[in-house]
């Protein structure tokens, strides 16, 4: 394989395709926290970008080392994503339905542990990209993963900005909408992983 236009174009397209779940979750997070500062937005987008970088690289390593075990694990990916996103989305949905006063800002904020879980859940399907880039050498696989991460970061920042604008208008309903989005993404990943 060579570093040509097709390599970069395919890596960008992979990044766009893989970033869609993280984009939706970014919107949901910003809906839930419309007063989010730029530094926090960069942290959230950075975590998603990191996992979108790491998962294809881990997948590539698995293809070149423990491919038999990885093939068996691959069937669990839709289940893991479904469980993680149902849990997080359900929690947001319940908090939104229960409502609460405006003093409950701390409860609304996304914790770092939850952010990590979201990062894993939205990028776990990127493990399969290890098969897509299995022809690449180690350096080329890393460059493709970096491109995927950069694209993910940009798309997630866009999602956070959209969510902030809409979140300010929705007030209490934002948490409900965010929870529904996360549950929907979990179901979509599950159905796509099992049937397509």
């Amino acid at each position: 394989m060579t570093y040509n236009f097709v390599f970069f174009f395919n890596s960008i397209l992979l990044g766009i395709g893989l970033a869609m779940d993280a984009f939706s979750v970014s919107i949901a997070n910003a809906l839930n926290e419309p007063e989010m500062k730029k530094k926090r937005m960069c942290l959230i987008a950075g975590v998603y970008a990191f996992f979108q970088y790491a998962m294809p690289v881990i997948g590539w390593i698995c293809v070149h080392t423990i491919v038999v075990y990885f093939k068996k694990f691959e069937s669990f990916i839709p289940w893991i994503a479904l469980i993680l996103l149902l849990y997080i989305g359900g929690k947001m949905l319940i908090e939104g339905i229960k409502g609460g006063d405006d003093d409950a800002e701390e409860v609304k904020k996304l914790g770092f542990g939850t952010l990590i879980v979201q990062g894993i859940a939205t990028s776990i399907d990127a493990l399969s990209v290890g098969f897509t880039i299995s022809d690449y050498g180690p350096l080329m696989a890393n460059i493709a993963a970096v491109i995927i991460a950069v694209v993910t970061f940009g798309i997630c920042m866009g999602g956070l900005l959209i969510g902030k604008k809409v979140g300010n208008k929705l007030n209490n309903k934002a948490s409900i909408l965010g929870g529904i989005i996360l549950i929907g993404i979990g179901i979509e990943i599950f159905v796509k992983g099992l049937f397509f």
Side-chain angles (χ1 to χ4, degrees), residues 66-77:
I66 52 172
V67 71
V68 175
Y69 300 110
F70 181 69
K71 266 299 211 192
K72 290 178 183 172
F73 173 74
E74 195 175 21
S75 64
F76 293 106
I77 289 174

Side-chain angles (χ1 to χ4, degrees), residues 1 6-7 10-12 14-15 18 52-64 126-148:
M1 286 303 245
V6 174
F7 166 75
N10 285 345
S11 298
I12 290 167
L14 266 174
L18 291 171
Q52 291 289 13
Y53 162 80
M55 293 297 182
V57 171
I58 292 168
W60 183 90
I61 291 168
C62 289
V63 167
H64 290 275
L127 277 169
S128 303
V129 172
F131 287 112
T132 307
I133 62 173
S134 62
D135 293 346
Y136 298 172
L139 180 61
M140 208 168 190
N142 270 288
I143 290 171
V146 166
I147 292 168
I148 290 167

